[in-house]
Amino acid sequence: MAIYVIIMMVLTLVTFLSSNPRGKELVEFQGWKSIYVGLLFLLVLIHGLRAPSVGGDLYDNYASLYDASGSVEWSMLLSYSALRGYEFGYVLLNKTCWILSSGNLHFFLIVVAIIYMSAIAYLISKLSVNRYVGLFIFFSSYMYNISMNNIRSSLALSIICFGVPLLLERKHFRFALCVFFATFFHVTALVFCFFCATCMISNRRILVFIYAATSVFFTLGFDLFAKIVNMFFPKYSIYFLVESNGGLTFLFFLIVLTVIIYFFSNSSFWAEHENLLMFKMLVCGVVLQLISLKIPYFSRAVYYHLISLPVLMPSLLVNNRVESRGKSLFLVLHGKL
């Protein structure tokens, strides 16, 4: 636990020193790129050299899969992945790392950490107005910690992160290909098809209608739909079982966060295309969290959409011209949350 507190302190200090409110705007000092890379390297080491007990799925499932995949023949890899219930891309990565490292688990974890952190760094550097504030928000939220447990979904999210900037160029088909390849590591990446569809719609009224209709259906009409499925297709009713996953608290948090960003932003905030794109992603996350209350399978995929925060929050600070004291207070409060 101490190592995470130390990292938080270092990130807080670097964020404060590297972000200067010059002209009431957050401006990065030019000489700090090496420190940014150093922080990423440190996060990769912590992620890759952790004990197998850090991350429940790693100790319970992934470590045994990694050891077993080494003895599987290449020709049997596809059938083996289907037998074990894991995506083919993930099993293939296990097999490759096992051969290259002679079965060293930490080699595999470091490879995963490099892929994940490189993707996050690319997205932040490409879209965020301040990479240090973005990295701070990424680490202080649970996106970094949960990646140690959800290895497959983190790899899927990495591919998505590399593909998101394509949407700014309206290359929707290429982004759809990224979503397709991401499903080779975790099938829940398909939820980004909904996000991709919303990005193709420019009419705000239609967007609001889609969000509202989806929300109303899963709030009021889903139970009736589940009963109909159970009546005519009982063998598929297992997919519509409602479980208690404590998702209401997180749903409330996402709604409050979305409302804050919407009402506390000004016109210059929305003038940036990347902010509008990331806000759509956050709203999709809210809708998906609502869906996961009825279909718990999607609950893990909700955190995908939190990658919008390292882009949205720094821009919210800049475009609203927050004073240095207000900025520092915001960062401290966010760190405590």
Side-chain angles (χ1 to χ4, degrees), residues 72-141:
V72 179
E73 297 293 333
W74 289 101
S75 58
M76 300 295 296
L77 213 57
L78 182 59
S79 58
Y80 177 75
S81 64
L83 178 65
R84 291 294 301 266
Y86 292 103
E87 291 78 6
F88 176 71
Y90 180 72
V91 176
L92 179 62
L93 181 63
N94 274 260
K95 174 72 173 178
T96 304
C97 290
W98 192 93
I99 292 176
L100 293 176
S101 65
S102 300
N104 189 303
L105 178 62
H106 285 293
F107 177 83
F108 170 71
L109 295 179
I110 288 177
V111 170
V112 171
I114 290 174
I115 295 173
Y116 182 61
M117 290 307 305
S118 297
I120 295 296
Y122 174 78
L123 183 71
I124 292 176
S125 299
K126 198 81 173 175
L127 303 184
S128 181
V129 297
N130 190 299
R131 63 171 65 97
Y132 307 100
V133 178
L135 187 62
F136 175 88
I137 292 173
F138 163 75
F139 183 80
S140 59
S141 64

Side-chain angles (χ1 to χ4, degrees), residues 319-330:
N319 285 286
N320 286 280
R321 300 179 181 275
V322 179
E323 298 287 347
S324 59
R325 290 185 179 180
K327 178 204 71 171
S328 302
L329 176 61
F330 176 86

Side-chain angles (χ1 to χ4, degrees), residues 165-280:
L166 294 172
L167 292 173
L168 292 175
E169 305 172 18
R170 304 193 64 81
K171 297 179 179 178
H172 300 100
F173 179 73
R174 292 187 181 183
F175 178 76
L177 287 178
C178 291
V179 174
F180 172 73
F181 286 117
T183 59
F184 282 88
F185 292 93
H186 207 288
V187 70
T188 54
L190 284 173
V191 297
F192 278 100
C193 291
F194 179 64
F195 169 62
C196 184
T198 60
C199 291
M200 298 173 66
I201 301 173
S202 56
N203 190 303
R204 292 188 178 183
R205 291 184 179 180
I206 296 178
L207 275 177
V208 172
F209 174 78
I210 292 175
Y211 293 140
T214 304
S215 301
V216 169
F217 169 75
F218 280 95
T219 303
L220 303 176
F222 178 82
D223 293 335
L224 177 61
F225 178 70
K227 290 180 180 179
I228 295 175
V229 171
N230 186 46
M231 184 183 302
F232 294 99
F233 308 99
K235 112 172 162 177
Y236 297 104
S237 61
I238 187 174
Y239 297 105
F240 298 92
L241 294 177
V242 179
E243 299 178 6
S244 176
N245 59 358
L248 281 175
T249 302
F250 190 55
L251 176 63
F252 179 74
F253 164 75
L254 288 176
I255 292 176
V256 170
L257 182 64
T258 305
V259 170
I260 289 176
I261 293 175
Y262 183 80
F263 285 102
F264 282 82
S265 56
N266 54 27
S267 57
S268 59
F269 176 86
W270 299 111
E272 303 292 336
H273 294 299
E274 54 265 27
N275 292 337
L276 183 59
L277 178 69
M278 292 292 100
F279 187 74
K280 285 182 179 180

